[in-house]
Amino acid sequence: MEPTPPTKHKDFWPIFGLLGVTAVLFWPATRWVAEQTLAHEQLRQSFYLLLFAAAVLWIDNRPALRPVMAISPRGLQLLGVSFALMLAAVFIWQTALLPLAAFAFALAGFVHIIFGDSGFKVSLPWVAAFAAFLVFILFFHVVDWPLRRLAGVQAAQLLAMMGYEVELAAVMADGAKLLLAVGDQLFEVAGECNGFGLMSSSAVLALLLVFGRDLPLYWKGFAVLLAFIVGFLFNTLRILGIVLLAPRFPNHYDAMHETIGLIALFAGLGFLWWLLGGIGPSPAKPKPGGDSPAASAAG
Protein backbone atom coordinates (compact mmCIF):
# COMPACT_ATOMS: atom_id res chain seq x y z
CA MET A 1 0.00 0.00 0.00
CA GLU A 2 1.45 3.36 -1.07
CA PRO A 3 1.84 6.15 1.53
CA THR A 4 -0.69 8.96 1.42
CA PRO A 5 0.84 12.13 -0.05
CA PRO A 6 0.97 15.11 2.32
CA THR A 7 -1.93 17.53 2.04
CA LYS A 8 -0.95 20.82 0.43
CA HIS A 9 -1.54 23.75 2.75
CA LYS A 10 -2.72 21.47 5.55
CA ASP A 11 -3.01 24.48 7.89
CA PHE A 12 -5.41 26.32 5.59
CA TRP A 13 -8.54 25.97 7.73
CA PRO A 14 -6.84 26.77 11.07
CA ILE A 15 -5.28 29.82 9.40
CA PHE A 16 -8.65 30.82 7.94
CA GLY A 17 -10.22 30.57 11.39
CA LEU A 18 -7.41 32.57 12.98
CA LEU A 19 -7.76 35.21 10.29
CA GLY A 20 -11.52 35.41 10.93
CA VAL A 21 -11.02 35.95 14.67
CA THR A 22 -8.37 38.59 13.99
CA ALA A 23 -10.57 40.37 11.45
CA VAL A 24 -13.43 40.61 13.98
CA LEU A 25 -11.08 41.83 16.72
CA PHE A 26 -9.52 44.49 14.49
CA TRP A 27 -12.64 45.56 12.62
CA PRO A 28 -13.04 48.87 14.53
CA ALA A 29 -9.37 49.77 13.92
CA THR A 30 -9.60 48.73 10.27
CA ARG A 31 -12.73 50.83 9.72
CA TRP A 32 -11.14 53.86 11.40
CA VAL A 33 -7.99 53.56 9.27
CA ALA A 34 -10.09 53.30 6.10
CA GLU A 35 -12.27 56.28 7.04
CA GLN A 36 -9.29 58.50 7.84
CA THR A 37 -7.45 57.48 4.67
CA LEU A 38 -10.43 58.14 2.41
CA ALA A 39 -11.16 61.46 4.09
CA HIS A 40 -7.73 63.06 3.61
CA GLU A 41 -5.84 63.46 0.35
CA GLN A 42 -2.47 63.59 2.13
CA LEU A 43 -3.05 60.15 3.63
CA ARG A 44 -4.32 58.76 0.33
CA GLN A 45 -1.04 59.72 -1.32
CA SER A 46 0.93 57.55 1.12
CA PHE A 47 -1.57 54.72 0.77
CA TYR A 48 -1.34 54.76 -3.02
CA LEU A 49 2.44 54.60 -2.69
CA LEU A 50 2.08 51.55 -0.46
CA LEU A 51 -0.18 49.87 -3.00
CA PHE A 52 2.30 50.58 -5.79
CA ALA A 53 5.16 49.27 -3.65
CA ALA A 54 3.18 46.10 -2.88
CA ALA A 55 2.70 45.47 -6.61
CA VAL A 56 6.41 45.99 -7.28
CA LEU A 57 7.31 43.76 -4.34
CA TRP A 58 5.11 40.99 -5.70
CA ILE A 59 6.48 41.28 -9.24
CA ASP A 60 10.13 41.32 -8.12
CA ASN A 61 9.85 38.57 -5.51
CA ARG A 62 7.25 36.13 -6.77
CA PRO A 63 9.39 33.03 -6.00
CA ALA A 64 9.74 34.08 -2.35
CA LEU A 65 6.09 35.13 -2.08
CA ARG A 66 4.53 31.79 -2.93
CA PRO A 67 1.95 30.94 -0.25
CA VAL A 68 3.12 28.21 2.13
CA MET A 69 0.13 28.50 4.52
CA ALA A 70 1.85 27.07 7.60
CA ILE A 71 1.26 28.12 11.20
CA SER A 72 4.77 29.03 12.33
CA PRO A 73 6.16 29.81 15.79
CA ARG A 74 7.31 33.25 14.66
CA GLY A 75 3.93 34.01 13.14
CA LEU A 76 2.18 32.97 16.35
CA GLN A 77 4.60 35.08 18.40
CA LEU A 78 3.81 38.15 16.33
CA LEU A 79 0.08 37.50 16.63
CA GLY A 80 0.52 36.98 20.38
CA VAL A 81 2.16 40.39 20.69
CA SER A 82 -0.66 41.85 18.60
CA PHE A 83 -3.41 40.39 20.81
CA ALA A 84 -1.55 41.43 23.98
CA LEU A 85 -1.32 45.02 22.75
CA MET A 86 -5.02 45.03 21.92
CA LEU A 87 -5.93 43.71 25.36
CA ALA A 88 -3.69 46.33 26.95
CA ALA A 89 -5.51 49.01 24.94
CA VAL A 90 -8.87 47.78 26.21
CA PHE A 91 -8.09 47.15 29.89
CA ILE A 92 -4.92 49.09 30.80
CA TRP A 93 -4.16 52.11 28.60
CA GLN A 94 -6.95 53.46 26.41
CA THR A 95 -4.95 55.03 23.61
CA ALA A 96 -5.24 54.75 19.85
CA LEU A 97 -1.52 54.01 19.53
CA LEU A 98 -1.77 50.50 20.96
CA PRO A 99 -4.49 49.20 18.56
CA LEU A 100 -2.54 50.57 15.60
CA ALA A 101 0.67 48.92 16.82
CA ALA A 102 -1.34 45.72 17.31
CA PHE A 103 -2.64 46.09 13.74
CA ALA A 104 0.93 46.22 12.40
CA PHE A 105 2.04 43.17 14.42
CA ALA A 106 -1.03 41.22 13.25
CA LEU A 107 -0.19 42.02 9.63
CA ALA A 108 3.42 40.90 10.16
CA GLY A 109 2.22 37.66 11.78
CA PHE A 110 -0.05 36.74 8.89
CA VAL A 111 2.64 37.62 6.34
CA HIS A 112 4.91 35.07 8.04
CA ILE A 113 2.17 32.45 8.30
CA ILE A 114 1.03 32.84 4.68
CA PHE A 115 4.37 33.37 2.91
CA GLY A 116 6.88 31.75 5.27
CA ASP A 117 10.23 33.03 6.44
CA SER A 118 11.53 34.01 2.97
CA GLY A 119 8.38 35.92 2.11
CA PHE A 120 8.45 37.60 5.51
CA LYS A 121 12.01 38.82 5.00
CA VAL A 122 11.36 40.41 1.61
CA SER A 123 8.07 41.90 2.86
CA LEU A 124 9.49 43.38 6.07
CA PRO A 125 10.32 46.82 4.55
CA TRP A 126 6.75 47.05 3.28
CA VAL A 127 5.33 46.02 6.67
CA ALA A 128 7.54 48.66 8.36
CA ALA A 129 6.32 51.30 5.88
CA PHE A 130 2.70 50.32 6.54
CA ALA A 131 3.30 50.59 10.30
CA ALA A 132 4.69 54.11 9.75
CA PHE A 133 1.60 54.93 7.68
CA LEU A 134 -0.60 53.93 10.66
CA VAL A 135 1.39 56.26 12.91
CA PHE A 136 0.96 59.08 10.38
CA ILE A 137 -2.81 58.60 10.48
CA LEU A 138 -2.76 58.93 14.27
CA PHE A 139 -0.73 62.15 14.31
CA PHE A 140 -2.20 63.75 11.19
CA HIS A 141 -4.59 66.06 13.05
CA VAL A 142 -2.02 66.85 15.76
CA VAL A 143 0.59 68.22 13.37
CA ASP A 144 -1.76 69.86 10.84
CA TRP A 145 -1.68 73.41 12.23
CA PRO A 146 2.04 73.46 13.23
CA LEU A 147 3.01 72.21 9.76
CA ARG A 148 0.73 74.75 8.09
CA ARG A 149 2.28 77.56 10.09
CA LEU A 150 5.82 76.31 9.42
CA ALA A 151 5.15 76.00 5.67
CA GLY A 152 3.53 79.45 5.55
CA VAL A 153 6.38 81.12 7.44
CA GLN A 154 9.03 79.49 5.24
CA ALA A 155 7.22 80.42 2.01
CA ALA A 156 6.65 83.98 3.23
CA GLN A 157 10.34 84.41 4.06
CA LEU A 158 11.42 83.14 0.64
CA LEU A 159 8.91 85.37 -1.17
CA ALA A 160 10.11 88.36 0.84
CA MET A 161 13.71 87.56 -0.14
CA MET A 162 12.55 87.55 -3.77
CA GLY A 163 11.25 91.10 -3.38
CA TYR A 164 7.53 90.47 -2.89
CA GLU A 165 5.46 92.34 -0.33
CA VAL A 166 4.27 89.55 1.96
CA GLU A 167 2.08 89.31 5.05
CA LEU A 168 1.15 86.15 6.96
CA ALA A 169 -1.70 86.16 9.47
CA ALA A 170 -3.85 83.69 11.37
CA VAL A 171 -7.59 84.37 11.34
CA MET A 172 -9.76 82.66 13.92
CA ALA A 173 -13.20 83.59 12.52
CA ASP A 174 -15.16 80.54 11.25
CA GLY A 175 -12.35 78.22 12.34
CA ALA A 176 -8.62 78.79 12.30
CA LYS A 177 -7.27 79.91 8.93
CA LEU A 178 -3.75 80.90 7.90
CA LEU A 179 -3.77 83.59 5.22
CA LEU A 180 -0.82 84.58 3.05
CA ALA A 181 -1.04 87.96 1.33
CA VAL A 182 1.36 88.43 -1.61
CA GLY A 183 0.97 91.88 -3.12
CA ASP A 184 -2.74 92.28 -3.83
CA GLN A 185 -3.43 88.52 -3.87
CA LEU A 186 -4.65 86.54 -0.90
CA PHE A 187 -4.00 82.81 -0.42
CA GLU A 188 -5.09 80.42 2.29
CA VAL A 189 -2.47 77.99 3.57
CA ALA A 190 -5.05 75.21 3.86
CA GLY A 191 -4.71 71.72 5.26
CA GLU A 192 -3.58 70.28 1.93
CA CYS A 193 -0.74 72.84 1.93
CA ASN A 194 0.74 71.65 5.23
CA GLY A 195 3.14 69.28 3.44
CA PHE A 196 2.01 66.24 5.39
CA GLY A 197 1.26 64.25 2.25
CA LEU A 198 4.69 64.90 0.76
CA MET A 199 6.49 64.31 4.06
CA SER A 200 4.65 61.11 4.95
CA SER A 201 4.98 59.73 1.40
CA SER A 202 8.70 60.52 1.47
CA ALA A 203 9.10 58.75 4.82
CA VAL A 204 7.23 55.70 3.50
CA LEU A 205 9.49 55.63 0.43
CA ALA A 206 12.61 55.96 2.61
CA LEU A 207 11.54 52.96 4.70
CA LEU A 208 10.86 50.94 1.56
CA LEU A 209 14.31 51.80 0.22
CA VAL A 210 16.52 51.35 3.30
CA PHE A 211 14.75 49.18 5.88
CA GLY A 212 15.81 45.88 4.33
CA ARG A 213 19.37 46.97 3.51
CA ASP A 214 22.47 46.07 5.49
CA LEU A 215 22.87 49.48 7.10
CA PRO A 216 23.43 50.63 10.70
CA LEU A 217 20.25 51.62 12.49
CA TYR A 218 21.33 55.25 12.77
CA TRP A 219 21.73 55.42 8.97
CA LYS A 220 18.18 54.17 8.53
CA GLY A 221 16.96 56.76 11.02
CA PHE A 222 18.90 59.46 9.17
CA ALA A 223 17.31 58.35 5.88
CA VAL A 224 13.82 58.78 7.35
CA LEU A 225 14.76 62.19 8.80
CA LEU A 226 16.15 63.19 5.40
CA ALA A 227 12.86 62.10 3.82
CA PHE A 228 10.89 64.47 6.07
CA ILE A 229 13.26 67.31 5.16
CA VAL A 230 12.94 66.60 1.43
CA GLY A 231 9.15 66.45 1.73
CA PHE A 232 9.07 69.78 3.58
CA LEU A 233 11.36 71.48 1.03
CA PHE A 234 9.36 70.29 -1.98
CA ASN A 235 6.12 71.36 -0.30
CA THR A 236 7.62 74.83 0.15
CA LEU A 237 8.51 74.84 -3.55
CA ARG A 238 4.93 73.77 -4.26
CA ILE A 239 3.54 76.77 -2.37
CA LEU A 240 5.95 79.12 -4.13
CA GLY A 241 5.00 77.70 -7.52
CA ILE A 242 1.29 78.17 -6.84
CA VAL A 243 1.75 81.74 -5.60
CA LEU A 244 4.00 82.76 -8.50
CA LEU A 245 1.88 81.13 -11.22
CA ALA A 246 -1.55 82.16 -9.91
CA PRO A 247 -1.52 85.55 -11.72
CA ARG A 248 -0.73 83.78 -15.00
CA PHE A 249 -3.69 81.37 -14.76
CA PRO A 250 -6.53 83.40 -13.23
CA ASN A 251 -9.21 81.33 -14.98
CA HIS A 252 -7.62 77.96 -14.37
CA TYR A 253 -6.43 78.23 -10.78
CA ASP A 254 -7.75 74.85 -9.63
CA ALA A 255 -6.14 72.97 -12.52
CA MET A 256 -2.86 74.80 -11.98
CA HIS A 257 -3.02 74.11 -8.24
CA GLU A 258 -3.46 70.36 -8.78
CA THR A 259 -0.81 70.23 -11.50
CA ILE A 260 1.80 71.95 -9.33
CA GLY A 261 0.88 69.62 -6.47
CA LEU A 262 1.42 66.50 -8.57
CA ILE A 263 4.70 67.82 -9.98
CA ALA A 264 5.98 68.58 -6.48
CA LEU A 265 4.94 65.13 -5.20
CA PHE A 266 6.57 63.12 -7.97
CA ALA A 267 9.62 65.39 -8.16
CA GLY A 268 10.14 65.06 -4.41
CA LEU A 269 9.78 61.28 -4.44
CA GLY A 270 12.03 61.00 -7.48
CA PHE A 271 14.69 63.16 -5.84
CA LEU A 272 14.53 61.08 -2.67
CA TRP A 273 14.79 57.86 -4.71
CA TRP A 274 17.91 59.28 -6.35
CA LEU A 275 19.37 60.21 -2.94
CA LEU A 276 18.68 56.94 -1.15
CA GLY A 277 18.49 54.35 -3.91
CA GLY A 278 22.22 53.62 -3.93
CA ILE A 279 22.87 53.70 -0.17
CA GLY A 280 24.16 50.36 1.11
CA PRO A 281 23.96 46.95 -0.55
CA SER A 282 20.66 45.78 -1.93
CA PRO A 283 18.88 43.15 0.16
CA ALA A 284 19.61 39.63 -1.05
CA LYS A 285 16.63 37.96 -2.68
CA PRO A 286 15.72 34.53 -1.30
CA LYS A 287 16.36 31.65 -3.64
CA PRO A 288 13.32 30.16 -5.38
CA GLY A 289 11.97 27.15 -3.60
CA GLY A 290 13.73 28.02 -0.38
CA ASP A 291 10.62 27.63 1.71
CA SER A 292 8.42 24.67 2.36
CA PRO A 293 5.65 24.47 4.94
CA ALA A 294 7.89 22.43 7.19
CA ALA A 295 10.82 24.82 6.83
CA SER A 296 8.53 27.79 7.48
CA ALA A 297 7.12 26.22 10.61
CA ALA A 298 10.63 25.66 11.91
CA GLY A 299 11.36 29.40 11.41
Side-chain angles (χ1 to χ4, degrees), residues 127-150:
V127 174
F130 183 80
F133 170 72
L134 295 178
V135 174
F136 295 149
I137 294 176
L138 182 61
F139 289 102
F140 172 73
H141 296 288
V142 177
V143 301
D144 174 41
W145 182 257
L147 283 178
R148 266 200 267 178
R149 182 171 179 79
L150 187 61

Side-chain angles (χ1 to χ4, degrees), residues 45 195-203 227 231 234-235 238 264-265 268-269:
Q45 291 174 358
F196 189 89
L198 252 166
M199 295 169 72
S200 60
S201 297
S202 297
F234 273 84
N235 182 65
R238 171 183 177 273
L265 174 65
L269 294 178

Side-chain angles (χ1 to χ4, degrees), residues 99-115:
L100 293 179
F103 197 150
F105 274 100
L107 175 64
F110 277 106
V111 167
H112 197 280
I113 287 173
I114 294 173
F115 297 110

Side-chain angles (χ1 to χ4, degrees), residues 215-251:
L215 292 168
L217 185 60
Y218 66 85
W219 267 111
K220 296 179 181 180
F222 174 75
V224 175
L225 176 61
L226 181 63
F228 282 116
I229 295 173
V230 169
F232 175 78
L233 291 177
F234 273 84
N235 182 65
T236 302
L237 292 175
R238 171 183 177 273
I239 295 175
L240 290 177
I242 291 172
V243 170
L244 296 176
L245 290 177
R248 299 178 180 273
F249 299 94
N251 299 322

Side-chain angles (χ1 to χ4, degrees), residues 12-287:
F12 176 81
W13 288 112
I15 292 172
F16 187 78
L18 189 60
L19 181 61
V21 172
T22 306
V24 171
L25 181 63
F26 283 93
W27 170 244
T30 303
R31 183 178 60 185
W32 183 79
V33 168
E35 289 173 350
Q36 293 298 311
T37 303
L38 292 173
H40 302 287
E41 180 184 356
Q42 298 96 319
L43 296 174
R44 292 199 299 271
Q45 291 174 358
S46 298
F47 184 71
Y48 294 151
L49 179 59
L50 283 170
L51 291 180
F52 177 75
V56 173
L57 180 72
W58 177 263
I59 293 170
D60 287 349
N61 299 277
R62 277 177 291 182
L65 291 174
R66 290 179 302 174
V68 298
M69 305 297 289
I71 296 179
S72 61
R74 184 177 297 178
L76 290 178
Q77 290 167 4
L78 290 167
L79 287 178
V81 172
S82 172
F83 294 160
L85 288 173
M86 184 61 79
L87 289 174
V90 174
F91 296 108
I92 300 176
W93 187 25
Q94 284 75 32
T95 173
L97 183 60
L98 289 183
L100 293 179
F103 197 150
F105 274 100
L107 175 64
F110 277 106
V111 167
H112 197 280
I113 287 173
I114 294 173
F115 297 110
D117 199 55
S118 295
F120 179 77
K121 288 177 180 176
V122 300
S123 302
L124 195 55
W126 191 91
V127 174
F130 183 80
F133 170 72
L134 295 178
V135 174
F136 295 149
I137 294 176
L138 182 61
F139 289 102
F140 172 73
H141 296 288
V142 177
V143 301
D144 174 41
W145 182 257
L147 283 178
R148 266 200 267 178
R149 182 171 179 79
L150 187 61
V153 168
Q154 188 64 38
Q157 290 176 346
L158 291 173
L159 288 166
M161 291 173 60
M162 295 167 63
Y164 288 88
E165 184 180 345
V166 182
E167 185 177 354
L168 185 69
V171 179
M172 297 303 170
D174 299 325
K177 293 182 179 180
L178 187 63
L179 301 180
L180 177 66
V182 183
D184 59 353
Q185 289 194 304
L186 188 64
F187 302 89
E188 179 184 355
V189 185
E192 57 268 23
C193 298
N194 64 8
F196 189 89
L198 252 166
M199 295 169 72
S200 60
S201 297
S202 297
V204 165
L205 178 60
L207 286 169
L208 291 168
L209 288 174
V210 304
F211 193 87
R213 294 176 181 264
D214 186 17
L215 292 168
L217 185 60
Y218 66 85
W219 267 111
K220 296 179 181 180
F222 174 75
V224 175
L225 176 61
L226 181 63
F228 282 116
I229 295 173
V230 169
F232 175 78
L233 291 177
F234 273 84
N235 182 65
T236 302
L237 292 175
R238 171 183 177 273
I239 295 175
L240 290 177
I242 291 172
V243 170
L244 296 176
L245 290 177
R248 299 178 180 273
F249 299 94
N251 299 322
H252 304 282
Y253 177 82
D254 290 339
M256 181 273 297
H257 185 282
E258 294 302 316
T259 301
I260 295 295
L262 289 174
I263 291 174
L265 174 65
F266 288 110
L269 294 178
F271 179 70
L272 187 66
W273 186 293
W274 175 75
L275 278 179
L276 300 180
I279 293 182
S282 299
K285 293 184 179 180
K287 295 180 180 179

